[in-house]
Amino acid sequence: DIVMTQSPDSLAVSLGERATINCKSSQSVLYSSNNKNFLAWYQQKPRQPPKLLIYWASTRESGVPDRFSGSGSGTDFTLTISNLQAEDVAVYYCQQYFGGLPITFGQGTRLEIK
Amino acid sequence: QVQLQESGPGLVKPSETLSLTCGVSGGSISSHYWTWIRQPPGKGLEWIGYIYTGGNTNYNPSLKSRVTISADMSKNQFSLKLTSVAAADTAVYYCARQGVRDGYSGPVDYWGHGTMVTVSS
């Protein structure tokens, strides 16, 4: 299985500032046939299911504010939240969905307001 | 808008079988990947497996010996069976859709609200 490791486990950021969450996969999730990274980011608030934010490592899902952005390729990825808002407090997960392999998630990063 | 709703017992005895069903509206289960994911209390997300076109399945190797996912096309629903449950199987169980994007398997884009299943005597 592909192991996903996020860092940090938790972070506190001031309102209006930038939050950065990293995700590393144990093997590349870049598929040569379409040159896309099979990597997604989710936001989970208490007592809610996860919400898809980013897929293909950097494509924002419809309706997601543009202060959320994803970057990276191969094995190293980053979720950046600019201009942090109070409603962004949540746990964030990365996930790889490389075809045919078991889907795996990172352990999660808890984001709080400083 | 695709909507998913889990149903099934909230309490299962150790060594028995956990059975859940997911009703889907707003889209047909004849396409995409219909998925079960679970989350133990206070912990992260674990993919259980999915069923896709033609009734093909793919399971998490760590659960494969105990898991069966099936679909009822006439009712547009799919189901999960997990045998020989133990306390470690206590979790919120989500049904979800893993979409197809640009002709390839995509991210999980629709989720049910989740149902808490407790394994206890």
Side-chain angles (χ1 to χ4, degrees), chain B residues 6-87:
Chain B
E6 305 89 351
S7 61
L11 181 65
V12 182
K13 289 182 169 56
S15 80
E16 295 191 345
T17 297
L18 179 159
S19 297
L20 296 173
T21 296
C22 182
V24 178
S25 59
S28 170
I29 66 168
S30 62
S31 63
H32 300 284
Y33 302 77
W34 301 94
T35 301
W36 289 96
I37 293 167
R38 69 181 184 178
Q39 185 171 35
K43 295 188 178 181
L45 299 160
E46 181 180 32
W47 175 77
I48 299 171
Y50 58 59
I51 188 166
Y52 61 106
T53 307
N56 298 295
T57 55
N58 191 10
Y59 300 135
N60 188 324
S62 69
L63 299 170
K64 189 174 184 176
S65 63
R66 299 195 291 132
V67 172
T68 302
I69 297 175
S70 59
D72 185 335
M73 303 291 290
S74 66
K75 295 182 178 179
N76 211 44
Q77 63 186 34
F78 62 106
S79 299
L80 168 70
K81 289 190 186 301
L82 181 66
T83 62
S84 303
V85 298

Side-chain angles (χ1 to χ4, degrees), chain A residues 1 31 33-34 36 38 40 42 44 47-52 54-56 61 93 95 97-107 110, chain B residues 35 37 39 42-48 50 58-62 94 98 100-114:
Chain A
D1 296 4
Y31 190 41
S33 292
N34 64 354
K36 290 185 182 294
F38 284 60
Y42 299 84
Q44 187 178 31
R47 295 172 296 283
Q48 294 184 21
K51 173 188 174 184
L52 176 64
I54 302 281
Y55 62 98
W56 297 143
E61 177 72 335
Y93 294 93
Q95 175 217 38
Y97 50 94
F98 208 72
L101 296 178
I103 290 172
T104 48
F105 294 88
Q107 78 276 19
R110 186 175 302 276
Chain B
T35 301
I37 293 167
Q39 185 171 35
K43 295 188 178 181
L45 299 160
E46 181 180 32
W47 175 77
I48 299 171
Y50 58 59
N58 191 10
Y59 300 135
N60 188 324
S62 69
Y94 294 102
Q98 182 183 358
V100 174
R101 304 280 174 118
D102 304 328
Y104 293 87
S105 60
V108 179
D109 51 8
Y110 291 98
W111 299 70
H113 292 295

Side-chain angles (χ1 to χ4, degrees), chain A:
Chain A
D1 296 4
I2 299 177
V3 177
M4 309 299 290
T5 303
Q6 292 180 226
S7 61
D9 289 333
S10 64
L11 77 161
V13 177
S14 300
L15 290 171
E17 297 299 308
R18 175 181 299 175
T20 301
I21 300 170
N22 300 301
C23 176
K24 189 174 184 67
S25 58
S26 61
Q27 64 188 74
S28 176
V29 297
L30 174 62
Y31 190 41
S32 57
S33 292
N34 64 354
N35 198 35
K36 290 185 182 294
N37 291 281
F38 284 60
L39 189 286
W41 289 96
Y42 299 84
Q43 175 193 65
Q44 187 178 31
K45 296 181 179 181
R47 295 172 296 283
Q48 294 184 21
K51 173 188 174 184
L52 176 64
L53 298 174
I54 302 281
Y55 62 98
W56 297 143
S58 60
T59 302
R60 206 176 298 113
E61 177 72 335
S62 177
V64 173
D66 60 6
R67 63 178 184 275
F68 291 90
S69 62
S71 63
S73 184
T75 61
D76 292 279
F77 303 91
T78 300
L79 173 69
T80 301
I81 309 170
S82 303
N83 186 22
L84 189 74
Q85 304 295 301
E87 61 263 32
D88 300 333
V89 169
V91 178
Y92 292 84
Y93 294 93
C94 62
Q95 175 217 38
Q96 66 77 23
Y97 50 94
F98 208 72
L101 296 178
I103 290 172
T104 48
F105 294 88
Q107 78 276 19
T109 295
R110 186 175 302 276
L111 175 61
E112 299 174 336
I113 303 297
K114 186 186 293 182

